[in-house]
Short mmCIF file of all heavy atoms in Angstrom, two decimals:
data_model
loop_
_atom_site.label_atom_id
_atom_site.label_comp_id
_atom_site.label_asym_id
_atom_site.label_seq_id
_atom_site.Cartn_x
_atom_site.Cartn_y
_atom_site.Cartn_z
N ILE A 1 288.82 174.14 4.79
CA ILE A 1 288.02 175.30 5.09
C ILE A 1 288.75 176.57 4.55
O ILE A 1 289.90 176.72 4.80
CB ILE A 1 287.77 175.44 6.65
CG1 ILE A 1 286.96 174.27 7.11
CG2 ILE A 1 287.14 176.79 6.93
CD1 ILE A 1 286.90 174.20 8.68
N GLU A 2 288.02 177.36 3.79
CA GLU A 2 288.64 178.42 3.07
C GLU A 2 288.85 179.73 3.89
O GLU A 2 289.90 180.35 3.84
CB GLU A 2 287.80 178.82 1.77
CG GLU A 2 287.86 177.65 0.75
CD GLU A 2 287.08 178.01 -0.46
OE1 GLU A 2 286.77 179.19 -0.61
OE2 GLU A 2 286.82 177.12 -1.23
N ASP A 3 287.94 180.09 4.69
CA ASP A 3 287.94 181.32 5.44
C ASP A 3 288.79 181.11 6.75
O ASP A 3 288.37 180.58 7.80
CB ASP A 3 286.64 181.86 5.83
CG ASP A 3 286.59 183.28 6.31
OD1 ASP A 3 287.69 183.83 6.49
OD2 ASP A 3 285.54 183.83 6.46
N GLU A 4 290.06 181.65 6.69
CA GLU A 4 290.92 181.41 7.88
C GLU A 4 290.52 182.14 9.15
O GLU A 4 290.81 181.67 10.25
CB GLU A 4 292.35 181.91 7.45
CG GLU A 4 292.99 181.29 6.27
CD GLU A 4 293.61 180.01 6.55
OE1 GLU A 4 294.11 179.81 7.72
OE2 GLU A 4 293.67 179.08 5.73
N ASP A 5 289.84 183.33 8.99
CA ASP A 5 289.56 184.10 10.17
C ASP A 5 288.10 183.99 10.71
O ASP A 5 287.75 184.57 11.66
CB ASP A 5 289.78 185.65 9.81
CG ASP A 5 291.23 185.90 9.45
OD1 ASP A 5 292.09 185.21 10.03
OD2 ASP A 5 291.51 186.68 8.57
N GLU A 6 287.34 183.15 10.02
CA GLU A 6 286.01 182.96 10.41
C GLU A 6 285.91 182.25 11.80
O GLU A 6 286.69 181.31 12.04
CB GLU A 6 285.21 182.06 9.44
CG GLU A 6 283.77 181.99 9.77
CD GLU A 6 282.92 181.23 8.73
OE1 GLU A 6 283.51 180.95 7.68
OE2 GLU A 6 281.83 180.97 8.89
N VAL A 7 285.05 182.64 12.64
CA VAL A 7 284.90 181.97 13.97
C VAL A 7 283.60 181.07 13.86
O VAL A 7 282.52 181.59 13.50
CB VAL A 7 284.66 183.06 15.08
CG1 VAL A 7 284.42 182.31 16.38
CG2 VAL A 7 285.93 183.84 15.16
N PHE A 8 283.72 179.84 14.07
CA PHE A 8 282.67 178.87 14.05
C PHE A 8 282.05 178.68 15.39
O PHE A 8 282.83 178.46 16.38
CB PHE A 8 283.19 177.51 13.45
CG PHE A 8 283.78 177.66 12.06
CD1 PHE A 8 285.16 177.76 11.92
CD2 PHE A 8 282.97 177.73 11.04
CE1 PHE A 8 285.70 177.86 10.72
CE2 PHE A 8 283.56 177.84 9.71
CZ PHE A 8 284.94 177.94 9.54
N GLU A 9 280.80 178.77 15.55
CA GLU A 9 280.07 178.66 16.77
C GLU A 9 279.82 177.27 17.21
O GLU A 9 279.76 176.94 18.37
CB GLU A 9 278.77 179.43 16.69
CG GLU A 9 278.87 180.89 16.54
CD GLU A 9 279.69 181.64 17.63
OE1 GLU A 9 279.40 181.25 18.78
OE2 GLU A 9 280.38 182.58 17.34
N SER A 10 279.74 176.31 16.28
CA SER A 10 279.54 174.87 16.60
C SER A 10 279.83 174.08 15.35
O SER A 10 280.11 174.65 14.26
CB SER A 10 278.06 174.70 16.97
OG SER A 10 277.16 174.94 15.90
N ILE A 11 279.74 172.75 15.55
CA ILE A 11 279.98 171.87 14.45
C ILE A 11 279.00 172.09 13.28
O ILE A 11 279.32 171.85 12.13
CB ILE A 11 279.99 170.44 14.91
CG1 ILE A 11 280.35 169.44 13.76
CG2 ILE A 11 278.62 170.05 15.46
CD1 ILE A 11 281.80 169.52 13.31
N GLU A 12 277.76 172.57 13.59
CA GLU A 12 276.79 172.81 12.53
C GLU A 12 277.22 173.92 11.60
O GLU A 12 276.77 174.00 10.46
CB GLU A 12 275.50 173.16 13.19
CG GLU A 12 274.70 172.05 13.83
CD GLU A 12 275.16 171.81 15.27
OE1 GLU A 12 275.83 172.67 15.88
OE2 GLU A 12 274.69 170.88 15.90
N ASP A 13 278.11 174.83 11.99
CA ASP A 13 278.61 175.83 11.05
C ASP A 13 279.57 175.25 10.11
O ASP A 13 279.72 175.81 9.00
CB ASP A 13 279.43 176.86 11.85
CG ASP A 13 278.54 177.85 12.68
OD1 ASP A 13 277.24 177.77 12.52
OD2 ASP A 13 279.02 178.56 13.53
N ILE A 14 280.16 174.13 10.39
CA ILE A 14 281.06 173.45 9.49
C ILE A 14 280.29 172.42 8.60
O ILE A 14 280.55 172.28 7.43
CB ILE A 14 282.24 172.80 10.26
CG1 ILE A 14 283.15 173.88 10.93
CG2 ILE A 14 283.09 171.96 9.32
CD1 ILE A 14 284.15 173.35 11.90
N TRP A 15 279.51 171.62 9.30
CA TRP A 15 278.70 170.61 8.66
C TRP A 15 277.22 170.77 9.10
O TRP A 15 276.83 170.37 10.08
CB TRP A 15 279.17 169.27 9.04
CG TRP A 15 278.54 168.10 8.33
CD1 TRP A 15 278.25 168.07 6.95
CD2 TRP A 15 278.17 166.82 8.85
NE1 TRP A 15 277.64 166.84 6.66
CE2 TRP A 15 277.68 166.08 7.79
CE3 TRP A 15 278.29 166.25 10.09
CZ2 TRP A 15 277.14 164.74 7.96
CZ3 TRP A 15 277.80 164.95 10.29
CH2 TRP A 15 277.25 164.18 9.18
N PRO A 16 276.49 171.56 8.21
CA PRO A 16 275.09 171.85 8.58
C PRO A 16 274.18 170.64 8.75
O PRO A 16 273.11 170.78 9.45
CB PRO A 16 274.57 172.68 7.36
CG PRO A 16 275.87 173.23 6.70
CD PRO A 16 276.89 172.18 6.97
N ASP A 17 274.49 169.54 8.24
CA ASP A 17 273.73 168.23 8.37
C ASP A 17 274.02 167.47 9.64
O ASP A 17 273.52 166.36 9.80
CB ASP A 17 273.89 167.39 7.14
CG ASP A 17 273.26 168.05 5.88
OD1 ASP A 17 272.43 168.89 6.00
OD2 ASP A 17 273.80 167.75 4.81
N TYR A 18 274.87 168.01 10.55
CA TYR A 18 275.17 167.29 11.74
C TYR A 18 274.03 167.09 12.55
O TYR A 18 273.32 167.94 12.83
CB TYR A 18 276.32 167.99 12.48
CG TYR A 18 276.77 167.25 13.70
CD1 TYR A 18 277.64 166.21 13.44
CD2 TYR A 18 276.39 167.61 14.99
CE1 TYR A 18 278.15 165.45 14.52
CE2 TYR A 18 276.96 166.83 16.09
CZ TYR A 18 277.84 165.77 15.80
OH TYR A 18 278.34 165.04 16.86
N PRO A 19 273.64 165.80 12.86
CA PRO A 19 272.46 165.49 13.62
C PRO A 19 272.53 165.96 15.03
O PRO A 19 273.52 165.88 15.64
CB PRO A 19 272.31 163.98 13.58
CG PRO A 19 273.67 163.45 13.22
CD PRO A 19 274.40 164.60 12.51
N THR A 20 271.40 166.49 15.51
CA THR A 20 271.27 166.96 16.91
C THR A 20 270.40 165.91 17.63
O THR A 20 269.89 164.98 17.09
CB THR A 20 270.59 168.28 16.97
OG1 THR A 20 269.22 168.14 16.44
CG2 THR A 20 271.36 169.34 16.25
N LYS A 21 270.31 166.12 18.99
CA LYS A 21 269.52 165.15 19.83
C LYS A 21 268.07 165.17 19.31
O LYS A 21 267.36 164.03 19.37
CB LYS A 21 269.57 165.52 21.20
CG LYS A 21 270.80 165.22 21.93
CD LYS A 21 270.67 165.51 23.42
CE LYS A 21 271.93 165.11 24.12
NZ LYS A 21 271.83 165.32 25.55
N ASP A 22 267.64 166.21 18.78
CA ASP A 22 266.22 166.27 18.25
C ASP A 22 266.03 165.39 17.08
O ASP A 22 264.90 164.92 16.79
CB ASP A 22 265.88 167.67 17.91
CG ASP A 22 265.84 168.63 19.04
OD1 ASP A 22 265.73 168.19 20.16
OD2 ASP A 22 266.03 169.88 18.77
N ASP A 23 267.08 164.97 16.34
CA ASP A 23 266.97 164.05 15.25
C ASP A 23 266.80 162.68 15.51
O ASP A 23 266.55 161.90 14.70
CB ASP A 23 268.13 164.31 14.38
CG ASP A 23 268.31 165.67 13.72
OD1 ASP A 23 267.32 166.37 13.58
OD2 ASP A 23 269.44 166.16 13.48
N PHE A 24 266.93 162.29 16.77
CA PHE A 24 266.89 160.91 17.09
C PHE A 24 265.56 160.36 17.65
O PHE A 24 265.50 159.18 17.89
CB PHE A 24 268.08 160.56 18.10
CG PHE A 24 269.41 160.67 17.42
CD1 PHE A 24 270.34 161.67 17.65
CD2 PHE A 24 269.80 159.63 16.58
CE1 PHE A 24 271.48 161.77 17.07
CE2 PHE A 24 271.02 159.72 15.97
CZ PHE A 24 271.87 160.78 16.15
N PHE A 25 264.66 161.21 17.81
CA PHE A 25 263.21 160.83 18.23
C PHE A 25 263.35 159.97 19.51
O PHE A 25 262.63 158.93 19.67
CB PHE A 25 262.49 159.96 17.16
CG PHE A 25 262.50 160.71 15.89
CD1 PHE A 25 263.21 160.25 14.78
CD2 PHE A 25 261.69 161.81 15.72
CE1 PHE A 25 263.09 160.90 13.53
CE2 PHE A 25 261.68 162.58 14.50
CZ PHE A 25 262.44 162.00 13.44
N PHE A 26 264.17 160.36 20.49
CA PHE A 26 264.29 159.52 21.73
C PHE A 26 263.72 160.43 22.79
O PHE A 26 264.20 161.53 23.05
CB PHE A 26 265.82 159.20 21.97
CG PHE A 26 265.99 158.43 23.23
CD1 PHE A 26 265.69 157.07 23.30
CD2 PHE A 26 266.52 159.07 24.32
CE1 PHE A 26 265.90 156.38 24.47
CE2 PHE A 26 266.75 158.36 25.50
CZ PHE A 26 266.45 157.00 25.57
N ASP A 27 262.73 159.92 23.60
CA ASP A 27 262.11 160.64 24.64
C ASP A 27 262.78 160.20 25.95
O ASP A 27 262.54 159.10 26.48
CB ASP A 27 260.64 160.31 24.70
CG ASP A 27 259.92 161.17 25.68
OD1 ASP A 27 260.59 162.12 26.27
OD2 ASP A 27 258.75 160.96 25.82
N GLU A 28 263.67 161.06 26.46
CA GLU A 28 264.44 160.70 27.69
C GLU A 28 263.51 160.69 28.85
O GLU A 28 263.86 159.91 29.86
CB GLU A 28 265.52 161.87 27.98
CG GLU A 28 266.62 161.76 26.92
CD GLU A 28 267.56 162.95 27.15
OE1 GLU A 28 267.38 163.71 28.10
OE2 GLU A 28 268.59 162.99 26.36
N GLU A 29 262.36 161.28 28.92
CA GLU A 29 261.48 161.18 30.02
C GLU A 29 260.78 159.87 30.10
O GLU A 29 260.24 159.46 31.14
CB GLU A 29 260.45 162.36 29.94
CG GLU A 29 261.06 163.68 30.10
CD GLU A 29 260.12 164.82 29.98
OE1 GLU A 29 258.81 164.50 29.71
OE2 GLU A 29 260.43 165.96 29.99
N GLU A 30 260.74 159.13 29.03
CA GLU A 30 260.04 157.93 28.93
C GLU A 30 260.82 156.78 29.64
O GLU A 30 260.27 155.79 30.12
CB GLU A 30 259.89 157.53 27.46
CG GLU A 30 258.73 156.57 27.21
CD GLU A 30 258.55 156.37 25.70
OE1 GLU A 30 258.04 157.26 25.05
OE2 GLU A 30 258.87 155.24 25.25
#
């Protein structure tokens, strides 16, 4: 990572393609 002083809010700031729960098509209420 090049920018030493940058503050990353989440893993998505480092790897934008990181899958979230919404990517898994799983309905927890089901």
Side-chain angles (χ1 to χ4, degrees):
I1 295 173
E2 293 181 14
D3 193 354
E4 300 279 331
D5 298 325
E6 182 176 355
V7 176
F8 301 99
E9 296 296 324
S10 68
I11 185 66
E12 288 88 6
D13 288 348
I14 296 172
W15 187 39
D17 293 334
Y18 187 73
T20 62
K21 284 186 176 185
D22 296 338
D23 295 333
F24 289 106
F25 307 112
F26 181 76
D27 187 6
E28 292 178 358
E29 294 176 5
E30 202 173 291

